[in-house]
Amino acid sequence: MRQLAIIPHPEAKITLFSWNGKYLIKLEKGSLEQTYKVSELDLTSEDDIHLLLDEEFVQAAVQRFKAMQQDLQAAFDRHGI
C-alpha cells in the first residue's frame, strides 16, 4: 500500500492510498475510521479523488462518525462495560 496524500481537514484526518488497483480514502476521527475503496478504473486521475472529497461528502462522514460513536457507546452501556 502506498500513501499518496494527506488531505488537510479540520474535522477528520483524511489519507489517500493506492493499493491493488484501487484508491483507498481513509478518514479518521479519534479511535474511529472509515475507509472507502474506489477502483482506479472509475476515475481519470488522482485529482478526481479530490473532487469526490467535497464538503458535502466530508460532512456526511463526520455525521457518520457521530453515529458510530453513539452505536459503540450504546453497546458498552447495554453490557455494563
Side-chain angles (χ1 to χ4, degrees):
M1 187 176 326
R2 185 170 62 106
Q3 180 177 315
L4 301 176
I6 295 175
I7 301 165
H9 196 278
E11 296 191 71
K13 179 181 177 187
I14 304 172
T15 310
L16 177 61
F17 297 95
S18 176
W19 179 71
N20 202 20
K22 293 182 176 53
Y23 289 111
L24 279 69
I25 304 165
K26 181 177 176 182
L27 296 95
E28 298 174 81
K29 187 170 177 95
S31 63
L32 302 172
E33 66 179 50
Q34 300 174 46
T35 301
Y36 297 84
K37 296 177 184 178
V38 180
S39 172
E40 290 177 355
L41 299 174
D42 291 340
L43 306 172
T44 57
S45 73
E46 183 182 322
D47 292 335
D48 287 348
I49 292 289
H50 296 272
L51 293 174
L52 291 176
L53 293 173
D54 61 12
E55 195 56 28
E56 185 175 343
F57 179 90
V58 175
Q59 285 306 309
V62 168
Q63 291 302 313
R64 199 166 296 111
F65 278 127
K66 290 177 184 175
M68 291 168 68
Q69 183 60 47
Q70 290 170 350
D71 293 344
L72 182 59
Q73 186 61 52
F76 271 91
D77 293 347
R78 276 193 309 275
H79 300 286
I81 301 172

